[in-house]
Amino acid sequence: MSSLNRAVFLDRDGVICYDVHYMSSPAQFMLMPGVGEGIKKLNEVGFLIIVVTNQSGLKRGLITEENLNKIHERMVKELSAYGAKIDDIYVCPCLPEEDCECRKPRPGMLLEAAKKHGIDLKSSFMIGDKQIDAEAGKAAGCTTILITDDPEAKADYKVKSFKEAVEIIMSETKG
Ligand SMILES: [Mg+2]
């Protein structure tokens, strides 16, 4: 048995909360349906829950780090009402043109989390709503799930809801 951890990496906007373009205040944060219940289930079967989010609004000056932290405090608090817990949050503040290693579709945030938390990426999952999420997950070696109705989207699994994504993870990891 491997002593490494399994993780579910989660995009934030459009997966955990409704996607507000350049969300800049905690008042704009609204959990999407089924997310609290779903994360709790994943917690219970031993997955680490790691949020990986591109937030170029930081470097664009559209959001302060202080407000971003407040948004994430609200996220943690709202999830705790469901008994759901996030283990870590990774934020890429960079602009696309900086060509950094952390901005999705690159897998930098996932790789850094894997190192820090001892994660076996091959038995881990990435849930996102955009192609860049699936690309980052695939580049890291994870199974990818996209919540999308885009027929052009490419991922190991495409689903309609967070609940369905959790059901896939549960059925894939049974036994
Ligand atoms: Mg998203």
Side-chain angles (χ1 to χ4, degrees):
M1 276 290 279
S2 160
S3 61
L4 288 172
N5 293 303
R6 295 181 305 177
V8 178
F9 295 97
L10 299 177
D11 174 43
R12 192 193 79 185
D13 300 325
V15 172
I16 297 177
C17 58
Y18 287 95
D19 193 349
V20 179
H21 202 51
Y22 296 120
M23 186 187 299
S24 59
S25 124
Q28 295 170 295
F29 181 92
M30 213 165 85
L31 269 188
M32 289 183 68
V35 171
E37 298 90 334
I39 291 178
K40 180 167 190 264
K41 265 190 201 165
L42 296 169
N43 291 149
E44 284 169 351
V45 296
F47 281 101
L48 294 179
I49 302 297
I50 314 278
V51 176
V52 288
T53 180
N54 285 355
Q55 296 296 331
S56 66
L58 282 166
K59 285 212 177 165
R60 292 179 208 272
L62 299 172
I63 176 173
T64 62
E65 209 171 324
E66 191 191 351
N67 276 353
L68 183 73
N69 290 336
K70 281 187 192 157
I71 289 168
H72 290 168
E73 279 165 26
R74 175 160 176 178
M75 173 170 72
V76 166
K77 191 174 166 210
E78 290 204 9
L79 289 171
S80 73
Y82 292 87
K85 176 179 136 261
I86 283 170
D87 293 284
D88 213 341
I89 301 172
Y90 287 79
V91 174
C92 168
C94 308
L95 302 169
E97 57 267 31
E98 287 180 84
D99 203 25
C100 62
E101 292 303 318
C102 48
R103 187 175 165 85
K104 294 176 288 183
R106 289 200 170 151
M109 292 189 281
L110 290 78
L111 300 179
E112 204 184 313
K115 228 185 267 173
K116 178 177 167 190
H117 294 281
I119 293 165
D120 175 23
L121 291 163
K122 291 260 176 287
S123 58
S124 296
F125 295 81
M126 171 79 214
I127 305 177
D129 69 323
K130 296 221 168 82
Q131 197 60 49
I132 56 164
D133 301 316
E135 282 173 35
K138 188 178 178 199
C142 301
T143 300
T144 58
I145 305 174
L146 283 185
I147 303 170
T148 181
D149 46 23
D150 179 359
E152 303 292 312
K154 286 188 184 65
D156 294 312
Y157 297 95
K158 295 201 281 182
V159 297
K160 299 267 178 265
S161 67
F162 194 88
K163 182 168 184 266
E164 256 187 83
V166 171
E167 283 165 3
I168 282 172
I169 294 171
M170 291 298 185
S171 66
E172 273 243 335
T173 55
K174 236 183 251 163

